[in-house]
Amino acid sequence: MTGKVTINRHGTDRVLNGHPWVFRSDITETEKAEAGEIVEILSFKRRFLGYAFYNPLSQITLRVLTKRREKVDQEFWRRRFVKAIDRRHSDPNGASRLIFSESDQLPGLIVDRYRDVIVFQTLSFGMDRLKGFWIDLIEEGLKPSAIVERNEPAVREKEGLTKERGIVRGGLSSPLMIEEAGRSLFVDPLEGHKTGLYLDQSENHIAAARYASGRVLDLFCYQGGFSVPVSKNADEVVAVDSSVPALQMTRQNLDQNRIQNVQLVEANAFDTLRSYDERREKFQTVILDPPPFVATKEVSGARRGYKEINLRAMKILSEGGILITCSCSQNFTPQMFYDMLLEAAHDTHRELQLLERRGAASDHPVLLTFPESNYLQCWVLRVI
Ligand code: SAH
């Protein structure tokens, strides 16, 4: 920890206010700082602010680790790891996120558990350099039957890291199945989206089942995260995805749970909505869970996409109908989401009540000083 990085007043204020990132544009001077190393952060008055991972290749050049003068060594990492795990109360037959990056003060580290299989990601350069250490610690602390690396997210490129995927310890006895709200779901830790499935939506899947009734349209269904639980209180569910493998996984999950009232449709969700609207077909519940529409600060295209699907969904809902609408674009803020819904409601001349503003499951906590961690919206509205 010999390198020092000095930042301007703007960066200093952000760090003092608790934001864990310093952008390249806020850096004024570097001394002996090497990529991937832990450096001392100095304020614009050259006062000590803390220690951070340094990566000059990334726009997010500093990732704050601590604001105290303390050794950032293996003991430091071990303490943070144990604390994050102790904060979770997880069901041994279920799935949960054990470590959520900045929200658990471990910037760039994701650790998810599917029964006794651990899937991890190291998404920052500094964390990736510690990969071997994390694998050993996971093995020693959690004693999993397998450890899987899913280092494919595009953010790794921005850090100067390559894509990597594979089983790094133990072996997978497929198929792996987890319990979510009394239902079984297949998980493929090697091929499934993200680290296997959409763990951040797990509590929203359960909540949706409380609201859904009648004829339900589940758009962007992936492997049936919403369709499986909502089928219980629904007369019929139409589950739509453009991906055949996703629909095959949904089929497996439906069969496994002996669910018979879900119809699978391979289609572009935008077209599906348009054709139901043109045919004036009605649904009592519509679920919208699209992939992220934007990965940059330029959100106008995403705004149009969100508005299009939400507007159509509002039109095909019957009186008293429920809209469960999600966004997982980090740059599309809750305020933008609100404004988009307001415009869509206005254009459709429909009056809506906002019943619940939900976010990611509680094992993906939002760090108050880090609004970027509030990336997932799952809002429930009713047409009145
Ligand atoms: N609702 C799921 C997660 C959805 S992920 C759950 O809770 O588990 C987003 C899904 O949207 C992916 O399965 C992807 O195949 C699908 N998708 C992406 N673009 C689409 C489009 N234009 N039409 C239909 N599905 C699409």
Side-chain angles (χ1 to χ4, degrees):
M1 289 197 278
T2 52
K4 290 184 168 53
V5 175
T6 308
I7 61 179
N8 64 16
R9 181 190 282 265
H10 177 253
T12 301
D13 287 346
R14 270 166 64 94
V15 171
L16 289 174
N17 287 330
H19 202 287
W21 292 350
V22 178
F23 292 111
R24 190 189 285 143
S25 52
D26 285 342
I27 288 176
T28 52
E29 205 184 317
T30 61
E31 264 169 75
K32 288 196 260 170
E34 300 280 343
E37 289 209 328
I38 294 160
V39 297
E40 212 174 298
I41 319 167
L42 299 179
S43 75
F44 69 106
K45 289 184 175 162
R46 294 196 56 86
R47 291 242 302 270
F48 172 84
L49 287 176
Y51 293 107
F53 278 140
Y54 174 66
N55 183 4
L57 285 176
S58 171
Q59 286 284 356
I60 306 166
T61 306
L62 294 175
R63 291 175 191 264
V64 181
L65 301 170
T66 176
K67 293 201 274 183
R68 295 188 10 209
R69 270 205 188 275
E70 60 183 320
K71 271 208 183 109
V72 182
D73 54 8
Q74 293 201 347
E75 260 327 292
F76 171 92
W77 295 122
R78 198 182 294 271
R79 274 196 310 276
R80 292 231 162 144
F81 178 86
V82 169
K83 278 190 184 165
I85 304 229
D86 285 351
R87 285 192 281 265
R88 267 70 178 182
H89 310 277
S90 51
D91 160 14
N93 295 327
S96 55
R97 174 147 297 186
L98 299 178
I99 294 178
F100 184 35
S101 204
E102 278 84 356
S103 291
D104 282 306
Q105 298 178 300
L106 290 165
L109 183 66
I110 302 284
V111 178
D112 289 343
R113 186 181 61 75
Y114 299 99
R115 281 183 182 259
D116 62 350
V117 172
I118 295 291
V119 186
F120 78 93
Q121 296 174 318
T122 43
L123 304 178
S124 63
F125 196 88
M127 264 320 167
D128 197 64
R129 287 205 355 175
L130 295 169
K131 191 159 86 180
F133 167 76
W134 290 121
I135 294 170
D136 288 344
L137 195 56
I138 288 168
E139 183 159 49
E140 171 199 315
L142 304 171
K143 305 199 168 35
S145 62
I147 304 178
V148 176
E149 169 175 12
R150 287 298 300 270
N151 269 328
E152 300 124 282
V155 289
R156 276 185 49 107
E157 265 168 57
K158 299 186 182 162
E159 292 282 310
L161 299 167
T162 53
K163 290 191 177 180
E164 298 190 41
R165 163 182 21 192
I167 301 170
V168 298
R169 294 281 161 90
L172 285 177
S173 54
S174 56
L176 178 63
M177 224 190 285
I178 57 124
E179 302 286 322
E180 189 178 275
R183 304 288 172 118
S184 308
L185 293 177
F186 285 95
V187 185
D188 188 339
L190 278 170
E191 300 290 334
H193 286 188
K194 303 213 321 173
T195 63
L197 47 80
Y198 289 87
L199 270 183
D200 50 0
Q201 289 283 30
S202 62
E203 291 172 9
N204 297 328
H205 294 154
I206 298 164
R210 290 200 297 272
Y211 287 104
S213 65
R215 190 174 184 221
V216 179
L217 180 59
D218 176 16
L219 291 167
F220 310 94
C221 69
Y222 186 49
Q223 34 75 295
F226 282 104
S227 285
V228 167
V230 306
S231 63
K232 188 168 164 230
N233 297 328
D235 296 335
E236 176 203 3
V237 180
V238 179
V240 180
D241 204 285
S242 55
S243 149
V244 173
L247 292 169
Q248 283 166 346
M249 283 190 285
T250 309
R251 167 57 55 213
Q252 268 189 314
N253 285 329
L254 295 171
D255 292 348
Q256 181 66 27
N257 294 287
R258 298 197 174 80
I259 295 169
Q260 288 174 338
N261 59 343
V262 179
Q263 181 200 338
L264 302 181
V265 178
E266 179 200 340
N268 181 328
F270 286 80
D271 298 340
T272 306
L273 277 165
R274 200 172 313 118
S275 77
Y276 281 131
D277 183 19
E278 282 163 8
R279 299 204 304 264
R280 299 192 184 283
E281 286 202 37
K282 294 287 177 207
F283 288 84
Q284 184 63 25
T285 311
V286 176
I287 300 166
L288 298 174
D289 184 19
F293 283 160
V294 59
T296 65
K297 300 258 177 223
E298 186 12 60
V299 297
S300 57
R303 186 187 175 78
R304 273 194 300 280
Y306 285 121
K307 188 174 166 190
E308 160 82 11
I309 56 175
N310 280 278
L311 182 144
R312 297 271 185 195
M314 287 175 190
K315 286 174 86 177
I316 64 170
L317 276 167
S318 48
E319 164 88 41
I322 294 285
L323 173 62
I324 297 169
T325 179
C326 308
S327 157
C328 58
S329 305
Q330 194 178 65
N331 291 297
F332 204 70
T333 65
Q335 186 64 49
M336 293 175 193
F337 196 58
Y338 190 105
D339 293 343
M340 174 279 298
L341 288 169
L342 182 62
E343 259 186 46
H346 182 262
D347 290 3
T348 50
H349 306 290
R350 299 217 82 169
E351 194 88 60
L352 287 114
Q353 296 173 324
L354 184 50
L355 303 180
E356 242 194 289
R357 276 182 242 207
R358 305 180 57 88
S362 53
D363 55 5
H364 295 58
V366 174
L367 187 67
L368 274 189
T369 52
F370 183 44
E372 290 81 352
S373 58
N374 187 15
Y375 68 101
L376 180 70
Q377 313 308 319
C378 176
W379 294 11
V380 184
L381 299 102
R382 176 164 49 209
V383 176
I384 57 166

